[in-house]
Amino acid sequence: MGKDKETTQFINKITAMYPELRRFAYKLTLDMDSANDLVQDCILKALDNQDKYVYRDNFKGWVFTIMRNIFINNYRQSQRMSNLFDPNVPDECLNRITTEKAGGNIYDAQLIYEAVDNLPERIKEPFTLFMDGLKYREIAEKCDLPLGTVKSRIFFARKMLQEELRDFV
């Protein structure tokens, strides 16, 4: 089978699944805009990884697994963002802090970005990649660092930010 024919068949299979993908995405996100974004991300990832699909495997299961994994990764990233400084802070405290400071959100965000920007470069790079949702292993590969070094630099970045922003909360 020629490469062009395989690609055409692959695209036709994904296109035929579009309504099912939207329904599944909506069940995961409970929001139509987020569901549409999830479907788009899923289709792009499937197209990017077409060479990894084995044609005797269950195509529908493969694509749904991609979507589920994207959803889980996005959820984990949002949790990391919300627990940036202290993962042990209860949600009730975070909600109280947020509502008390609602008037100064823009100023507060600016302080946080400045604090991150002031981190030493060797610590800032792994930390910002982590906040962008990359896993430790991916950061280690991208920065050409040992895995343990990446973990310790992210740990030190969090500690430095906690210290810098201790009066923030």
Side-chain angles (χ1 to χ4, degrees):
M1 190 181 292
K3 187 73 170 161
D4 291 337
K5 189 172 182 178
E6 285 180 7
T7 301
T8 303
Q9 286 179 341
F10 192 86
I11 291 171
N12 289 340
K13 282 182 175 183
I14 283 194
T15 304
M17 286 184 61
Y18 188 79
E20 293 174 87
L21 291 172
R22 281 192 69 193
R23 279 192 295 274
F24 184 58
Y26 184 75
K27 285 180 183 179
L28 292 172
T29 64
L30 302 176
D31 176 65
M32 194 50 77
D33 290 332
S34 297
N36 288 332
D37 290 342
L38 184 57
V39 169
Q40 187 176 26
D41 290 344
C42 175
I43 290 172
L44 288 172
K45 188 137 191 142
L47 290 171
D48 285 343
N49 292 291
Q50 176 183 353
D51 58 322
K52 294 178 181 150
Y53 173 68
V54 179
Y55 279 86
R56 67 180 180 279
D57 286 348
N58 178 2
F59 182 75
K60 188 186 273 189
W62 183 72
V63 174
F64 280 122
T65 299
I66 290 172
M67 180 177 286
R68 183 180 49 90
N69 289 343
I70 292 170
F71 175 75
I72 290 169
N73 289 340
N74 290 344
Y75 176 78
R76 287 178 180 158
Q77 181 180 1
S78 70
Q79 291 302 303
R80 275 197 297 260
M81 290 298 288
S82 67
N83 296 328
L84 171 63
F85 299 110
D86 189 358
N88 298 319
V89 174
D91 288 339
E92 300 81 27
C93 293
L94 290 173
N95 291 337
R96 180 180 48 80
I97 291 165
T98 304
T99 54
E100 288 175 0
K101 295 194 172 240
N105 282 343
I106 293 171
Y107 178 71
D108 295 344
Q110 184 178 356
L111 286 175
I112 294 170
Y113 288 123
E114 286 175 7
V116 170
D117 199 42
N118 290 334
L119 289 171
E121 192 61 39
R122 66 183 187 80
I123 292 176
K124 180 172 54 173
E125 182 180 14
F127 181 75
T128 54
L129 291 172
F130 178 74
M131 294 312 302
D132 287 341
L134 272 68
K135 294 180 174 54
Y136 291 130
R137 178 185 42 76
E138 295 169 328
I139 297 168
E141 290 171 7
K142 186 170 182 123
C143 296
D144 195 30
L145 294 169
L147 185 62
T149 302
V150 168
K151 289 179 179 181
S152 66
R153 288 185 181 177
I154 292 170
F155 171 80
F156 287 124
R158 289 180 67 177
K159 288 297 179 191
M160 292 171 80
L161 289 171
Q162 284 174 340
E163 182 64 28
E164 172 104 14
L165 300 168
R166 71 179 174 274
D167 296 330
F168 180 71
V169 179

